[in-house]
Amino acid sequence: MGDYVQLREVRAWYEDVGEGEPLVLLHGGHTDARFFEHNIGALAEHFHVYTPERRGHGHTPDTSGPFSYDLMADETIAFLETVVGGRAHLFGHSDGAFVATLVAMRRPELAGDLVLVSGGFNKNGLIGADEEYDIDELVAFMGPAYAEVSPDGEEHFRVVAQKTVDMAADEPALEQAELQAISSRTLVMFGDDDLVTLEHAVAMYEGIPNAEFAIVPGTSHFLLQEKPVLCDAIVLDFLTREPVPTIAPIRRAAA
């Protein structure tokens, strides 16, 4: 059924299911916890899974003012402290992956293992980064699903969409060298036809000190829905097994 919790100025909605170590799923822009519907069952067999929805998304009402990744990271930190009660593994998709990245950089004691799916670290890595968003097309594509659960009503989706587009004009804006601050063991995963260039995906993998890399063949930005069984297997292998001693290490040879 879900529940609400007050996280500073945000009345945030979340659900939780399963038992074990906490695992927090962080959805992307214009979506909500339903994005993970094909993945939660498999994950909840091994973890206590939390699915918070951030301001203006899903069941969580919008707040006044613009969106920013700083605000999203603050909300997530507050959720970890208030609801989870401490450290958790973080699994983010798209914008949610970048939020998880910021949390791990700022509050490493709260971040267990990281699963970063289809989320880059700099907007310049996007394919067609300079192209303008078509708000009308975005509203037509994503608006109906938003209206199904939003307490703000269908018409408010245009406001949320514009806030997200405005944020995307300047963010994310990390440099590769800043990724060195991530101390968590990290899985970087993209579809082979994702929203960012493959060069950017590789740069992200190479920039995070303790990272593993997966490209899911034949998938797009919606890889978690397109090949859920394969994606779940990769993620669970990462989260439930210790790193194997590779036979012929090259990049990891120094470590």
Side-chain angles (χ1 to χ4, degrees), residues 32-38 53 58-59 145-149 225:
D32 52 62
R34 292 173 296 173
F35 189 88
F36 297 108
E37 64 181 343
H38 300 294
E53 295 177 337
H59 301 75
Y146 170 89
E148 290 174 1
V149 297
Q225 299 176 353

Side-chain angles (χ1 to χ4, degrees), residues 71-121:
L71 288 174
M72 297 174 194
D74 286 344
E75 287 173 29
T76 304
I77 289 169
F79 183 82
L80 290 169
E81 293 176 333
T82 304
V83 179
V84 178
R87 183 180 180 89
H89 303 303
L90 303 179
F91 177 164
H93 173 261
S94 193
D95 281 357
F98 187 66
V99 172
T101 298
L102 291 181
V103 172
M105 292 172 66
R106 296 175 182 181
R107 295 291 301 275
E109 78 279 7
L110 292 176
D113 294 339
L114 300 183
V115 177
L116 308 180
V117 181
S118 295
F121 60 91

Side-chain angles (χ1 to χ4, degrees), residues 3 6 18 31 35 47 49 51-53 61 70 91 96 109-110 127 134 170 179 187 214 225 233 252:
D3 201 357
Q6 194 68 36
T31 66
F35 189 88
F47 296 96
V49 178
T51 55
E53 295 177 337
D70 282 340
F91 177 164
E109 78 279 7
L110 292 176
I127 296 172
D134 187 327
D170 300 307
L179 299 176
L187 173 64
Q225 299 176 353
R252 296 186 179 92

Side-chain angles (χ1 to χ4, degrees), residues 8-246:
R8 297 164 187 166
E9 75 274 20
V10 182
R11 184 171 176 263
W13 183 94
Y14 72 96
E15 281 189 320
D16 66 301
V17 63
E19 297 180 354
E21 295 180 1
L23 171 64
V24 177
L25 308 188
L26 303 173
H27 63 79
H30 309 305
T31 66
D32 52 62
R34 292 173 296 173
F35 189 88
F36 297 108
E37 64 181 343
H38 300 294
N39 316 107
I40 290 175
L43 297 171
E45 292 179 6
H46 302 270
F47 296 96
H48 186 171
V49 178
Y50 295 85
T51 55
E53 295 177 337
R54 65 175 183 260
R55 66 180 69 195
H57 290 72
H59 301 75
T60 299
D62 195 13
T63 59
S64 61
F67 289 162
S68 74
Y69 287 114
D70 282 340
L71 288 174
M72 297 174 194
D74 286 344
E75 287 173 29
T76 304
I77 289 169
F79 183 82
L80 290 169
E81 293 176 333
T82 304
V83 179
V84 178
R87 183 180 180 89
H89 303 303
L90 303 179
F91 177 164
H93 173 261
S94 193
D95 281 357
F98 187 66
V99 172
T101 298
L102 291 181
V103 172
M105 292 172 66
R106 296 175 182 181
R107 295 291 301 275
E109 78 279 7
L110 292 176
D113 294 339
L114 300 183
V115 177
L116 308 180
V117 181
S118 295
F121 60 91
N122 190 294
K123 68 182 184 65
N124 293 328
L126 284 172
I127 296 172
D130 297 328
E131 297 178 5
E132 292 189 6
Y133 286 89
D134 187 327
I135 293 292
D136 290 335
E137 181 179 351
L138 186 59
V139 168
F141 179 51
M142 306 294 287
Y146 170 89
E148 290 174 1
V149 297
S150 173
D152 294 325
E154 184 172 4
E155 295 303 316
H156 191 73
F157 181 71
R158 184 175 291 273
V159 176
V160 169
Q162 188 63 58
K163 286 184 180 184
T164 304
V165 169
D166 291 344
M167 180 179 69
D170 300 307
E171 299 184 65
L174 289 182
E175 298 298 327
Q176 185 194 38
E178 294 179 84
L179 299 176
Q180 289 286 326
I182 299 174
S183 57
S184 298
R185 181 175 172 232
T186 304
L187 173 64
V188 174
M189 186 163 77
F190 287 87
D192 64 357
D193 189 18
D194 218 311
L195 293 182
V196 305
T197 66
L198 291 175
E199 291 80 5
H200 187 77
V202 171
M204 185 172 174
Y205 157 63
E206 292 182 333
I208 298 173
N210 190 15
E212 300 176 25
F213 192 42
I215 293 290
V216 180
T219 62
S220 71
H221 195 62
F222 292 81
L223 67 166
L224 296 174
Q225 299 176 353
E226 292 160 346
K227 292 191 175 181
V229 174
L230 177 57
C231 290
D232 292 345
I234 293 171
V235 170
L236 284 170
D237 179 80
F238 172 77
L239 289 174
T240 63
R241 297 183 61 193
E242 294 297 320
V244 299
T246 53

